[in-house]
Every structure is written in C-alpha cells, then in structure tokens.
Amino acid sequence: MFLSISTTGTPDRPATDLGYLLHKHPEKAQAFSTSYGTAHVLYPEADDHRCTAALLLEVDAVALVRRGKGKGRGGAPDAALAQYVNDRPYAASSLLAVALSAVFSSAMRGVCAARPELPEQARPLRVEVPALPARGGPELVRRLFEPLGWAVTAEPVALDARFPEWGDSRYVRLELESTRLTVAEALRHLYVLLPVLDDAKHYWVASDEVDKLLRAGEGWLPEHPEQKLITSRYLSRRWSLTRQANEALELVRLAEADDSEVEEIDNAVEAETETEERPTPLAVQRRDAIVAALEESGAARVLDLGCGQGQLVQALFKDPKYTEIVGTDVSMRALTIASRRLKLDRMGERQASRVKLFQSSLAYTDNRLKGYDAAVLSEVVEHVDLPRLPALEYAVFGAARPRTVLVTTPNVEYNVRWETLPAGHVRHGDHRFEWTREEFRAWAGTVAERHGYAVEFTPVGPDDPEVGPPTQMAVFTRTTTHEKEAKAA
C-alpha cells in the first residue's frame, strides 16, 4: 500500500523543509520493520520548489494471519482463504495508519528539534492515496475531509475497466490538497480517518484506543460534524469505548466554549448515579417481538422453521407453557450448534421430550410439520430464491397449516440508516432479496387470501417516520371460515 505527501516552496522556504518535519532525510531511502511487514520511506522528488515523501508498506500476509486476532479482514479465524487472499497488502487501512504513527511519530506530535519553528507553519500540502477502501463512497470521503480544510478529489475505482457495466468498486483514488494545514495536522487526520473509511481494523480494539483517538483528534475532532461516526468506526463500534470517547470529546468541546480547562469542567460535574443502558440489539428486539406474539396467540406447540443456531428455541424452552418446541433447518451444522446450545445430551428425559431438532427444507412439504399451534419464520424468506417462494408458501400455509404463522424479514427501506451498508447492497451476502414495506404487505396479503388466513403487520425495532422499522413482522391467523370450506370440500 502506498501514500505520498507533497509540498511546494520558495528559495526562502524550500520545499525540502518537509524532510525536517518528517525527520527523514530526502537523500536517503529508509526501511522500518513493523509487526506486519516493512515500511519504506523515500523521496521521488526533492528540491527547493517541490518535495514529495512516499510511504510504501510491504505487508507480510503470513505475519498478518499469525498476529491478526481482531475483527479486521485478514484476522478473522473463520475465513481461511480470505486470510491470505485479501486487499490488506494493497489498500490503505489501519495497517497504513499504524505505519504512519510508527514511522512519523515525532512529526505527528509536531516536534522538530533541529528547526523548532517549522511544525507550526502551515504550508501547501498534497496527499495522494491510490487505493483507499471507502465504505460510504466518495460522498463520505468528502464529508470527513472537507470540514478539516481539505480540497477533496475522490475518484471511484472501477471493478474492472474492461467491463464498465460491472460498476464501481468500494475503493477510491484519493487526492487531498490544502494550504492552511500543518504537516502534523495532516498526519493526524490521516491516522484517524484512513481506518474510519475502511471501517475495519487488523487488531483487537482495546481501551487504549480511546486515548489514541483523543490525542490524534486534538484540535479538530470535538467540532467535526461527523464526530459520532468517526468515533464509532474508529473504535470498531465497541459501545463502551465509543461512549467513553464521546463523553471525553464533549468535555473538550464544553471547555473550549467556556474558555476553561477540561479538568475544571470535569470536576464540576457530579458523578452519575445512573448508568445508561446499552441499546438492545435488533436480534434481541426481534426475538422479544416474536415471543410476545406467540404469547398473545396462546400457542403451546411451536415450530421454529429455519431455526439456525437455536436462539429462539432456547428462549421458548425456558417457558414451561410451551409443551413442544420443534426447530428445523436445512443445515446440519446449524442444528448441531443448536443442540449444543440447548445441552440436549445433558437434559433429563422429561425435559428433552419438549424439544425436537431435525433437518427439513421448506422447499418441500413435510408431514412432520402438521398439527402445530404456531410456526415462526424469522429472517428466513429473504434467503430463498424468489422462484422458490411459492413452494415455501405451500409447504407452510397449504400443507402444515399451523393456526398462527409469524414471518419477519428486513425492511429494505431502512437500509439507508445503516452507515456501513453501501448503497444498493443487502444486509447479508446470502439474502436473495429484501422487500420494501409495500412489497412485503402485498406478498403477505396474497398468501393470506390464498390459504385462508388473516394477516396483521407489526414493526420491530425503532419505527423511523420516513423509512419505517429495520424489521417488519407479519402475523398470520388462520380463519375458521376457510376451515369449514376445507372440510366441506
């Protein structure tokens, strides 16, 4: 991966002063060992008029796998091939940010013993990054850098220039220009915002990352309009760390507004007696909504169709009013994990008789699914190819015919509220489609009419006034009229 910093100068203020600021001599090519490879610093050009310093990071993919234990790409233990075949050696990321900090640490602090007057001087700067992962696209790049005084050029990189119809990749070619920033400020901006745009880190984010963010963000982050996004992404969305950083940044902002020291503001605030609760994950909200609907239906014998790893089955098993709980899935691996979660092999015979797990596909009718009070399809339909939906519909509503059916699925309209989700992408790589509220209601209404059910709709999660909730749930209730007609037939 590659990054260059250029400046221009005059005979009175030569551009080669950049060498003093970066503590790297323009006439030398230097190499520095890092935990993940070798960082090279060289000067493609260096004279009084123009000087360019380049940082080239050669990433050792094997070292990255051996050391990478965090969530960033290249450190995921469940993606064996992706550990070695990825964009880490080529695209600017947290790896490059760490190299910047290691190689230019004195420059980032604004220290220059040889020429102490230089660090405080703003100068013409141009930064180029040929390949920058930008989750959020060129628009987010501009939103992050422009408020800091940069003129931004972010050109999307095509997936393949030979096939323009394939569209653009998530990478951009970045050029930044400014005449009113110091070199130290520029380096601190890059150190924070490169991993923010990549939205992944190659190492585990611990509490010391908050201090790093506050140091690098001093003087610009508290007032940045995208402060919350920057903080959340930089800290890998770790809720406790993000909250800690936001509180510290708010103290800095208040102190600056009051022309006082942070310590004075901090000491003036009494210790909180209550702690803010962590936001409930959407998966938990969805499970709670399903359990509430099942309780309202009065069901005692429940099917969890597409049960996955058994979280819902486990929640229902804790309530003795559910006398029989069946979990089915097409994946034997998922069923094995569900069995371990439930500890079926350790249960007494009486308790174990309440739970059944077996393999079944909703593309076919299965006589074992008949006669139950309720069936749940939680985040299942969107994993089925659209041409196969009629088969699922008949297997559940036509053949099994439980008294109540609960179906939850993502609301695609809400996707614009996910900062990390590129436009036009679905939430999961295995989703065959995601419906709008109108599309889901149309499908559910047709199914209900065709098979003799009434249907009602319930939002799950925060119900946004513009785009609706993140998850939509349909509650199907079998009608007695249809039953009489079926018996008569």
Side-chain angles (χ1 to χ4, degrees), residues 18-318:
L18 183 63
Y20 287 102
L21 290 165
L22 296 178
H23 297 261
K24 303 292 180 288
H25 199 288
E27 294 182 4
K28 297 180 180 179
Q30 302 180 56
F32 304 85
S33 295
T34 73
S35 299
Y36 301 96
T38 304
H40 301 270
V41 178
L42 59 149
Y43 288 78
E45 54 184 345
D47 56 39
D48 290 351
H49 176 66
R50 184 174 174 85
C51 185
T52 297
L55 175 63
L56 174 66
L57 181 60
E58 289 184 297
V59 175
D60 183 342
V62 175
L64 184 63
V65 172
R66 287 174 177 169
R67 295 175 179 267
K69 298 179 182 179
K71 293 184 178 180
R73 288 184 304 282
D78 58 344
L81 182 60
Q83 290 180 319
Y84 297 94
V85 183
N86 53 56
D87 64 355
R88 301 297 82 182
Y90 314 106
S93 65
S94 58
L95 287 164
L96 187 59
V98 169
L100 278 173
S101 176
V103 175
F104 299 132
S105 58
S106 297
M108 285 182 62
R109 296 196 308 271
V111 175
C112 182
R115 299 281 300 278
E117 77 282 1
L118 290 181
E120 298 300 320
Q121 296 177 2
R123 61 184 56 248
L125 293 174
R126 179 184 176 88
V127 175
E128 296 184 52
V129 183
L132 172 65
R135 293 185 183 273
E139 177 57 32
L140 181 59
V141 178
R142 286 188 282 270
R143 281 163 43 201
L144 293 183
F145 281 103
E146 285 181 348
L148 301 175
W150 293 102
V152 179
T153 301
E155 299 178 354
V157 176
L159 281 171
D160 192 322
R162 296 170 299 173
F163 303 98
E165 65 273 15
W166 290 3
D168 296 327
S169 68
R170 66 184 184 90
Y171 303 93
V172 300
R173 185 180 187 281
L174 177 66
E175 295 179 1
L176 303 172
E177 292 188 274
S178 176
T179 58
R180 56 189 183 90
L181 294 171
T182 66
V183 169
E185 289 172 330
L187 291 174
R188 290 198 294 267
H189 296 167
L190 293 167
Y191 175 76
V192 173
L193 297 181
L194 290 182
V196 166
L197 283 164
D198 184 28
D199 199 18
K201 284 200 170 184
H202 66 280
Y203 58 88
W204 175 250
V205 175
S207 57
D208 62 336
E209 290 295 300
V210 176
D211 294 330
K212 294 179 186 177
L213 175 62
L214 296 178
R215 285 197 300 270
E218 183 178 357
W220 63 270
L221 184 55
E223 300 297 331
H224 197 290
E226 299 292 341
Q227 176 213 304
K228 290 185 178 179
L229 171 65
I230 293 170
T231 303
S232 176
R233 284 195 177 192
Y234 183 87
L235 297 171
S236 297
R237 292 180 181 75
R238 291 196 61 190
W239 175 85
S240 58
L241 299 183
T242 301
R243 182 185 175 193
Q244 179 184 342
N246 284 332
E247 289 175 348
L249 290 168
E250 180 63 14
L251 283 174
V252 172
R253 191 187 65 79
L254 290 173
E256 290 177 349
D258 198 39
D259 196 23
S260 57
E261 297 296 326
V262 171
E263 290 75 11
E264 297 176 19
I265 298 289
D266 198 14
N267 290 336
V269 179
E270 296 182 2
E272 294 183 2
T273 57
E274 297 182 1
T275 57
E276 182 181 345
E277 293 185 1
R278 184 172 182 170
T280 304
L282 180 59
V284 176
Q285 296 182 56
R286 185 164 52 238
R287 192 156 58 246
D288 290 346
I290 291 169
V291 170
L294 288 173
E295 289 181 355
E296 187 174 346
S297 74
R301 302 174 67 239
V302 179
L303 297 167
D304 184 6
L305 305 177
C307 66
Q309 298 179 12
Q311 290 93 334
L312 177 61
V313 173
Q314 184 181 44
L316 297 178
F317 182 74
K318 294 176 182 178

Side-chain angles (χ1 to χ4, degrees), residues 29 44 78 102 116 130 195 235 272 308 312 315 318 331 378 416 450 477 485:
D78 58 344
L235 297 171
E272 294 183 2
L312 177 61
K318 294 176 182 178
S331 167
S378 178
V416 297
R450 183 180 292 132
T477 305
E485 291 175 354

